[in-house]
């Protein structure tokens, strides 16, 4: 292990307590943090010109000698400023530099050779071309970090000198580059034409030329994706080698009864996915499977049958949902299915009294409960299962890897089933769920009508809400979704409170309108949702708290205010709350943003009802960083790689990782690099 990487930044020359504190605000604490703080862009100051070839209006670099320095004060530009006027020259001509740095006359003496970069100006009151406030560096210095080369530009923070990060990273590479060890096997480096690791770090931060910069980027992007894939595949391979998981028996009476009790026949897709799940559960190797299916594709039915299988084999099942609303709904669905067969289903809610919670925990511990449904409360330390056989997480992207692992740890090598209605593009799935086997429910059950999606500007709001009134008159219910809980002066969008007040006083006056958002107390949210389920509330005005788990078949309209504030995948999730009955349903997107790219993005929603296609579009348009809205806990940030732009490298890296993990003994340096990157 390269221990020097974990040295604190304040061990470097020139870093005191205040500087260290400012760097920590950028999450820069160790030398490794700095080494992986890659430039956000570069300035090419490498093309040196002679003075006679300089062009007015162009950004130029040249090497010249100091001829004369004079100080002046007076009006310059928009105000009175002190400045230094420096005459410089080379063998072909002279150039005037105007600098507002008061110390420059002490830094560079007459006769000294300097490198300068800046924009060339032609002025009427001087016989020379002029360069204002250029970057200046001593041409005779051993290293040039500011000009005369391709110069790295780093993201910074107010109060940090512009050149500080550049000089600190140069200091690290000067001190430690000889100690940067290789982590990728030599044959993989050769077959993929990859630069040596130490050379890559030098050339990503201080490239000698554009070609070497490209090679450095390729090498480090490959390494980043290779280590990630090796880590995920190692977890998967380790799981395959465990031969002491739970081996469930073939389907018994309870599985048959639950299947028969479902209010619909299973689709071919559901039956195929069930066969894959049952095959995993009947194997001694613990199941680790992701089921991906669009909103309304029937994942819950698949999960219920898997739970029946573990219960009839004498084990307990657990289902973890991201919200109380979704947990409550799952509990009601499972209780209705299982209760008539003598199975005990319980809801572990944060709202239970201390006494109720204590009694339920005892029941779980003593196997007096067969299936437990809950939110993240399920993974708290005091929850002990007697015999957990199957752990299911729903809407997995809301939890993250660490929480999934905590639920799995509640049983001894319990089978794990992960479900998501957020369609994950293949490229992102390789990154986020690379340790899982994947099953996809491609098609919706027959009879489900596609939702018509319409896009309008704010000027149509009165007409839109007139349409809402017509739907209410037919006995249907409506959602109105807003991006904010309260007004925010920094965000041009409508809050749920303002929209509720406006609609209640104008277009929907006299209509029963409910208001719900994430800041309400759990019992308040419950009361409002129950009233909506019963039909006592006709219009539910909400934030995205209703994005998952809300099932009201009578709801036929969803109006989304400021639709531009949401990604395509999230809009599709919201749209999935309607069209769940047999009536024609409408999703109305309202946006007054006329930018072409935003209008084009929203127009995709009106043309496409396929969640996977939308997810691919969303990933292309918004990038992986915003796809989920927040990063996955337990997965590293990608520092250089771009999932879309570097897809070809991702596939090469995965192929190489498969070769290493499945067919070789992983070298120590590679194992340490994997552990360092993934913290596994």
């Amino acid at each position: 292990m390269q221990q020097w990487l974990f040295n604190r930044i304040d061990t470097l020359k020139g870093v005191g307590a205040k500087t260290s504190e400012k760097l920590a605000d950028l999450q820069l604490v160790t030398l490794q943090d700095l080494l992986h703080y890659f430039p956000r862009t570069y300035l090419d100051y490498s093309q040196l010109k002679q003075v006679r070839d300089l062009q007015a209006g162009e950004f130029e670099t040249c090497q010249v000698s100091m001829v004369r320095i004079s100080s002046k004060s007076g009006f310059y530009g928009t105000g009175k400023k002190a400045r230094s006027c420096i005459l410089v020259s080379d063998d072909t001509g002279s150039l005037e530099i105007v600098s507002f740095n008061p110390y420059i006359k002490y830094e560079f003496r007459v006769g000294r050779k300097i490198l300068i970069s800046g924009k060339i100006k032609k002025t009427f009151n001087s016989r020379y071309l002029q360069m204002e406030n250029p970057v200046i560096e001593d041409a005779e210095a051993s290293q040039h970090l500011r000009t005369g080369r391709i110069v790295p530009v780093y993201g910074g923070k107010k109060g940090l000198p512009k050149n500080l990060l550049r000089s600190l990273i140069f200091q690290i590479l000067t001190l430690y580059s000889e100690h940067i060890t290789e982590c990728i096997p030599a044959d993989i480096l050769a077959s993929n034409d990859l630069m040596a690791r130490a050379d890559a770090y030098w050339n990503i931060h201080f490239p000698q030329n554009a070609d070497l910069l490209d090679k450095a980027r390729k090498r480090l992007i490959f390494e980043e994706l290779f280590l990630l894939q090796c880590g995920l595949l190692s977890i998967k391979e380790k799981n395959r080698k465990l031969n002491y998981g739970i081996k469930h028996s073939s389907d018994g009476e309870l599985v048959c009864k639950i299947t028969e009790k479902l209010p619909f026949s299973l689709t071919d897709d559901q039956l195929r996915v069930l066969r894959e799940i049952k095959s995993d559960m009947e194997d001694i190797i613990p199941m680790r499977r992701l089921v991906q299916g669009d909103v309304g594709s029937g994942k819950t039915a698949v999960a219920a049958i898997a739970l029946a299988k573990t219960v009839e084999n004498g084990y307990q099942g657990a289902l973890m949902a991201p919200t109380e609303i979704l947990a409550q709904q799952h509990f009601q669905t499972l209780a209705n299915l299982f209760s008539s067969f003598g199975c005990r289903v319980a809801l572990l809610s944060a709202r239970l009294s201390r006494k109720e919670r204590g009694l339920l925990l005892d029941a779980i511990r003593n196997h007096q409960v067969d299936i437990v449904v809950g939110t993240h409360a399920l993974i708290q330390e005091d929850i002990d299962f007697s015999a957990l056989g199957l752990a299911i997480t729903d809407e997995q992207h809301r939890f993250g890897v660490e929480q999934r692992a905590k639920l799995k740890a509640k049983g001894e090598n319990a089978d794990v089933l992960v479900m998501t209605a957020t369609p994950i593009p293949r490229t992102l799935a390789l990154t986020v769920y690379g340790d899982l086997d994947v099953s996809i429910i491609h098609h919706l059950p027959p009879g489900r009508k596609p939702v018509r999606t319409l896009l309008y500007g704010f000027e149509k709001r009165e007409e839109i809400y007139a349409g809402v009134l017509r739907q209410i008159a037919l006995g249907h219910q409506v959602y109105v979704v807003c991006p904010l809980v309260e007004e925010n002066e920094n965000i041009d969008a409508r809050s749920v409170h303002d929209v509720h007040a406006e609609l209640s006083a104008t277009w929907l006056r006299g209509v029963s309108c409910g208001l719900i958002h994430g800041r309400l107390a759990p019992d308040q949210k419950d009361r409002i949702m129950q009233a909506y389920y019963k039909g006592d509330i006709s219009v539910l005005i909400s934030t995205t708290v209703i994005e998952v788990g809300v099932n009201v078949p009578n709801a036929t309209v969803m109006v989304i205010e400021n639709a531009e504030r949401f990604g395509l995948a999230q809009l599709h999730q919201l749209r999935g709350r309607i069209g769940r009955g047999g009536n024609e349903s409408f999703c109305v997107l309202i946006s007054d943003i006329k930018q072409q790219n935003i209008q084009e993005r929203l127009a995709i929603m009106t043309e496409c009802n396929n969640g996977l296609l939308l997810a691919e579009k969303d990933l292309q348009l918004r990038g992986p960083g915003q796809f989920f809205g927040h990063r996955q806990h337990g997965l590293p940030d990608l520092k250089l790689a771009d999932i879309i732009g570097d897809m070809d490298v991702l596939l090469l890296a995965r192929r190489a990782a498969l070769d290493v993990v499945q067919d070789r003994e992983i070298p120590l340096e590679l194992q340490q690099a994997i552990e360092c990157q993934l913290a596994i």
Side-chain angles (χ1 to χ4, degrees):
M1 180 67 74
Q2 301 174 77
Q3 293 298 334
W4 62 270
L5 285 168
F6 303 102
N7 292 348
R8 291 182 59 84
I9 288 176
D10 56 16
T11 60
L12 295 174
K13 184 179 177 182
V15 181
K18 287 185 179 178
T19 299
S20 186
E21 189 178 316
K22 288 174 183 175
L23 290 169
D25 288 341
L26 295 172
Q27 281 76 55
L28 301 175
V29 177
T30 67
L31 301 192
Q32 179 176 247
D33 296 334
L34 262 180
L35 196 59
H36 291 162
Y37 196 69
F38 298 115
R40 60 179 172 81
T41 189
Y42 299 86
L43 300 173
D44 190 352
Y45 294 163
S46 62
Q47 305 303 311
L48 298 185
K49 285 191 175 180
Q50 293 183 309
V51 170
R52 70 182 173 197
D53 297 324
L54 300 179
Q55 298 291 319
E58 297 296 320
F59 207 98
E60 308 275 31
T61 300
C62 55
Q63 179 175 310
V64 290
S65 296
M66 305 270 285
V67 176
R68 182 178 68 241
I69 303 177
S70 60
S71 296
K72 294 184 179 180
S73 62
F75 286 94
Y76 188 89
T78 58
K80 191 171 184 179
K81 299 178 181 179
R83 63 192 187 278
S84 295
C85 291
I86 308 164
L87 188 65
V88 297
S89 68
D90 64 9
D91 293 338
T92 67
S94 297
L95 174 73
E96 189 176 57
I97 294 174
V98 176
S99 174
F100 300 105
N101 175 3
Y103 304 104
I104 194 167
K105 59 187 176 185
Y106 305 113
E107 294 174 10
F108 301 103
R109 302 285 183 178
V110 169
R112 194 73 176 176
K113 281 188 169 58
I114 58 173
L115 286 164
I116 55 173
S117 294
K119 191 168 184 179
I120 301 297
K121 293 171 64 177
K122 186 172 182 63
T123 61
F124 296 108
N125 58 353
S126 174
R127 54 190 277 209
Y128 305 112
L129 289 175
Q130 195 176 82
M131 189 183 282
E132 184 182 313
N133 230 29
V135 177
I136 304 178
E137 200 163 29
D138 189 344
E140 297 171 21
S142 58
Q143 292 291 342
H144 302 128
L145 302 185
R146 299 173 61 192
T147 188
R149 61 172 309 126
I150 297 175
V151 178
V153 178
Y154 300 90
K157 179 180 188 297
K158 192 173 181 181
L160 278 176
K162 256 193 249 181
N163 300 311
L164 177 68
L165 289 167
R166 198 179 294 143
S167 62
L168 292 179
I169 292 168
F170 185 82
Q171 192 180 150
I172 292 171
L173 287 168
T174 302
L175 290 170
Y176 297 106
S177 62
E178 291 182 2
H179 304 288
I180 295 175
T181 54
E182 194 53 77
C183 63
I184 298 178
D187 62 316
I188 292 175
L189 288 176
S191 62
N192 288 281
D193 191 26
L194 297 175
M195 177 184 276
R197 197 182 195 198
D199 291 342
Y201 279 116
W202 266 116
N203 281 284
I204 196 75
H205 288 292
F206 302 101
Q208 294 178 46
N209 56 53
D211 182 52
L212 288 175
L213 172 58
D214 287 342
K215 288 182 176 179
R217 282 185 58 80
K218 179 187 173 184
R219 156 62 206 240
L220 293 172
I221 286 169
F222 183 96
E223 177 180 312
E224 185 172 41
L225 295 171
F226 175 72
L227 294 178
L228 177 59
Q229 291 302 310
C230 280
L232 293 171
L233 289 167
S234 294
I235 295 169
K236 193 171 185 177
E237 195 64 19
K238 183 180 177 182
N239 179 58
R240 288 188 192 283
K241 290 177 180 177
L242 288 175
N243 58 1
Y244 54 92
I246 296 168
K247 185 176 173 63
H248 290 81
S249 301
S250 300
D251 290 353
E253 188 178 355
L254 184 60
V255 167
C256 295
K257 286 180 177 178
I258 292 297
T259 305
E260 289 170 3
K261 193 175 178 182
L262 291 172
F264 47 79
S265 297
L266 295 173
T267 65
D268 290 343
D269 268 4
Q270 289 170 314
L271 289 169
R272 174 182 47 77
V273 169
L274 268 172
R275 284 195 296 272
E276 293 166 351
I277 291 170
K278 289 175 180 179
S279 175
D280 286 351
M281 293 179 74
E282 291 168 15
D283 199 317
I284 194 66
I285 298 171
M287 174 172 70
R288 301 289 182 268
R289 184 166 292 278
L290 167 71
V291 174
Q292 181 178 320
D294 217 336
V295 175
S297 61
K299 297 181 299 300
T300 305
V302 169
I305 294 170
L307 287 166
K309 190 173 185 70
T310 205
V311 170
E312 71 180 11
N313 277 268
Y315 296 99
Q316 294 166 292
L319 195 161
M320 184 165 69
T323 65
E324 288 278 354
I325 292 171
L326 185 53
Q328 178 76 36
Q329 184 175 305
H330 280 319
F331 167 69
Q332 289 171 348
T333 300
L334 294 174
N336 291 338
L337 273 175
F338 283 87
S339 56
S340 56
F341 305 117
C343 298
R344 299 150 296 183
V345 182
L347 176 64
L348 181 62
S349 168
R351 281 164 282 162
L352 293 175
S353 68
R354 182 177 293 183
K355 182 179 179 181
E356 290 171 329
R357 190 173 189 278
L359 289 171
L360 180 53
L361 295 191
D362 286 341
I364 295 169
R365 196 176 299 117
N366 297 322
H367 207 149
Q368 294 167 344
V369 171
D370 297 302
I371 298 171
V372 186
V373 181
T375 59
H376 61 277
L378 277 177
I379 59 176
Q380 291 176 1
E381 288 185 9
D382 59 348
I383 312 294
D384 294 315
F385 286 82
S386 169
L388 182 64
L390 175 63
I392 301 176
T393 56
D394 193 13
E395 292 303 329
Q396 163 63 23
H397 70 281
R398 296 297 193 89
F399 289 110
V401 177
E402 186 179 346
Q403 289 166 310
R404 181 175 85 211
K406 283 183 179 179
L407 180 60
K408 181 192 76 171
K410 295 295 181 181
E412 189 170 342
N413 293 322
D415 287 331
V416 171
L417 185 63
V418 171
M419 304 193 300
T420 182
T422 299
I424 312 296
R426 177 173 175 267
T427 47
L428 198 58
L430 288 176
T431 304
V432 179
Y433 296 123
D435 59 323
L436 302 175
D437 296 309
V438 179
S439 295
I440 300 177
I441 302 176
H442 290 283
H443 303 106
L444 296 178
R448 230 188 131 164
K449 293 181 180 178
V451 175
R452 281 189 62 195
T453 303
L454 308 167
L455 173 60
Y456 295 115
F458 274 23
E459 74 279 358
K460 295 285 187 180
R461 288 181 78 237
E462 186 172 358
E463 294 175 44
I464 291 166
Y465 286 108
V468 164
L469 285 174
R470 288 193 293 273
Q471 287 291 312
I472 293 168
L474 292 171
H476 301 314
Q477 290 168 277
V478 176
Y479 296 100
V480 176
V481 180
C482 305
L484 302 176
V485 176
E486 295 172 346
E487 286 297 316
N488 185 325
E489 62 182 22
N490 297 317
I491 300 174
D492 185 17
R494 300 175 65 78
S495 77
V496 71
H497 283 286
D498 283 356
V499 170
H500 180 266
E502 177 198 26
L503 295 180
S504 299
T506 57
W507 301 311
L508 301 185
R509 187 171 55 250
V511 174
S512 175
C513 294
L515 171 66
I516 190 169
H517 54 77
R519 294 185 194 172
L520 293 178
D523 58 335
Q524 287 179 286
K525 283 190 280 189
D526 263 358
R527 283 198 302 272
I528 294 164
M529 287 311 306
Q530 288 304 319
Y532 193 59
Y533 289 140
K534 292 175 184 176
D536 297 336
I537 291 175
S538 297
V539 179
L540 186 62
I541 301 168
S542 171
T543 57
T544 55
V545 71
I546 53 94
E547 180 183 350
V548 294
V550 178
N551 184 21
V552 180
N554 190 42
T556 59
V557 177
M558 174 172 285
V559 178
I560 303 179
E561 299 267 3
N562 294 107
E564 75 279 354
R565 304 293 306 179
F566 304 94
L568 295 181
Q570 190 172 37
L571 288 171
H572 184 63
Q573 282 282 89
L574 289 165
R575 180 169 61 182
R577 297 307 101 211
I578 56 175
R580 305 175 81 86
N583 299 298
E584 186 175 20
S585 298
F586 304 88
C587 178
V588 183
L589 310 177
I590 303 178
S591 176
D592 228 22
I593 305 297
K594 303 303 182 188
Q595 288 171 241
Q596 185 177 353
N597 61 331
I598 290 175
Q599 287 294 309
E600 287 176 356
R601 183 167 67 85
L602 294 177
I604 293 168
M605 286 292 296
T606 69
E607 300 158 4
C608 180
N609 270 284
N610 184 302
L612 259 175
L613 287 178
L614 284 170
E616 292 283 1
K617 290 283 187 184
D618 212 17
L619 191 59
Q620 291 169 12
L621 291 166
R622 303 206 306 157
Q626 297 182 46
F627 185 81
F628 289 116
H630 62 280
R631 77 183 283 267
Q632 287 278 300
H633 297 294
L635 284 177
D637 283 323
L638 294 176
K639 304 287 188 184
L640 277 177
D642 176 333
I643 296 291
I644 294 295
D646 300 316
M647 190 200 309
D648 54 341
V649 182
L650 171 63
L651 297 176
L652 288 173
R654 185 168 176 83
R655 197 174 303 137
L658 279 165
D659 174 44
V660 168
V661 172
Q662 293 181 354
D663 300 331
R664 309 188 195 189
E665 188 73 31
I666 298 180
L668 178 61
E669 279 295 338
L670 175 55
Q671 186 60 50
Q672 289 175 340
I674 294 168
E675 291 172 359
C676 183
Q677 173 130 340
L678 269 73
I680 59 174

